Amino acid sequence: MTLDIPLAGDAAARFLPWLIGFMVYLAALGLALALLVVSAGERWRTTAAGTATVQIAPVNEGRDTRDERAKQALEILRATPGVASAQPVPERQVLALLRPWLGEDADATALPLPRVIDVTFQPANPPDTAALAARLGAVPGVSLDDHGAWLARLAGLAGTIEGIALAIVALIFIAMIATVVFTTRTSLAIHREVVEVLHLIGARDGYIARQFELQALAHGIKGGAGGLILAAATLIALSTTAMHIDAPLLPRLTLRPIEWAAVVCVPLFATAIAMIAARITVLRTLAREM
Amino acid sequence: MAGGEIVRFQRVGMRYGLGAEVLHDISFRLQAGSFHFLTGPSGAGKSSLLRLMFLAHRPSRGLISLFGREIATVPRREFPALRRRIGVVFQDFRLIGHLSALENVALPLRVAGGREHQVHDHVAELLRWVELDEQIHVRPSILSGGQQQRIAIARAVIGRPQLLLADEPTGNVDDRIALRLMHLFEELNKIGTTIVIATHNESLMERFPYPVMRLKNGELLDGGDS
């Protein structure tokens, strides 16, 4: 379709598809980061929530009472409604956890290691952890860690990263709006005579604005497609690389279908924003004329 | 519209920006279906007067009525509908360079929401009439001045305007085409279009004895129906 206003040849507008492409690329990556962090945070929460750790620390009583106190703690735990399971962690497993820090040759058996009990709560009916901690605290050297503080810090970190990522996405879109407004104003100035002719033969402002909207649509499709392809390639490469790393704490770096759908919406959203920005700019500029 | 009055100027003044007035105390009336020449030396204000009439500029003072409506009280959103009742032939044609002859002529119909096949048929017929049917898909830049002028005229009349304003419409064409265009204007006039032609061409005004509005130094010396 030939536009009445020759917008396609404008020098200022020629770079717009490239700019939209870069912005869509960055926005898509920003959004993907936010989505990955949200999903990692959820995973951490679901993994850690509903579990707790009871630690039986050595106390200076002249003899080793760790096993006796562990037995008392187990009795308290198993008698508490809402506790699904309470399993002592074998000492060799505790030692295995320490081996990376102490080295293979170190004799860890001589260390006064605490006894550890893994506790799982019933998801539908978890116990009052504060009351449980108080009951366990009556046994010397016994403490309950319900992972709350750790989870709160983790959730705080995830929220911060998510917020920053979304703020970056918002800034990218604001920059894109500013770019579209600037190029639209420039194009209006360049084609002032044609716009005046259209006005004088009876074109409504909306008809003229439609020309700029269609041009923004064309730029959005071109730039958006390029930016999306580049972003998809980057995310697939990142996911493929992350698959070869065996680190349980590392968040999953593969997007789910619904998350891919959100990323695919970025160029559509960018195009819609570009069209709206172009339309509003033209209408506001023309409204100042006769 | 009182007494079929289509244009009324009352003590109209006009200036560009903060500059000096280029038109002073212009008062006249044009009846619907009338035919007028507008003449005067260069710089007298002919084009400025036309600009006021085709709603490209606001007067700095005075009152203008078009089609019975006082322009100062017409909301901006209603200007397009008023402008569609006015056909304009610009002195410098003001054709859109990247559009073909057909697309240029079709613009007034397209902006008014005309259907594409009707637009095409109607425009092709008019271009045949102005002897440009061979150049229907040609861009204005490779046409002669006279051919461009005929496209500009075709664009101005395609929408069957009630008021046709032409700024030197025969300035770039030979006598044969000039006569043909004048006959086109007369035919439009016969079906009720009010015509105002700004021209320096004295022989044209002698050959077609219509009332003449004379401007000098921004003042209307005589003419109009007032």
Side-chain angles (χ1 to χ4, degrees), chain A residues 3-4 196 202 205 286 289, chain B residues 76-77 83-84 94 98:
Chain A
L3 296 176
D4 298 338
E196 192 190 29
D205 292 351
L286 294 180
E289 296 177 5
Chain B
R76 191 179 172 278
R77 66 176 180 279
R83 285 173 174 142
R84 286 176 198 171
R94 301 184 73 172
H98 74 292

Side-chain angles (χ1 to χ4, degrees), chain A residues 130-147:
Chain A
L132 180 60
R135 281 203 299 281
L136 288 167
V139 182
V142 174
S143 62
L144 174 76
D145 179 6
D146 66 353
H147 308 152

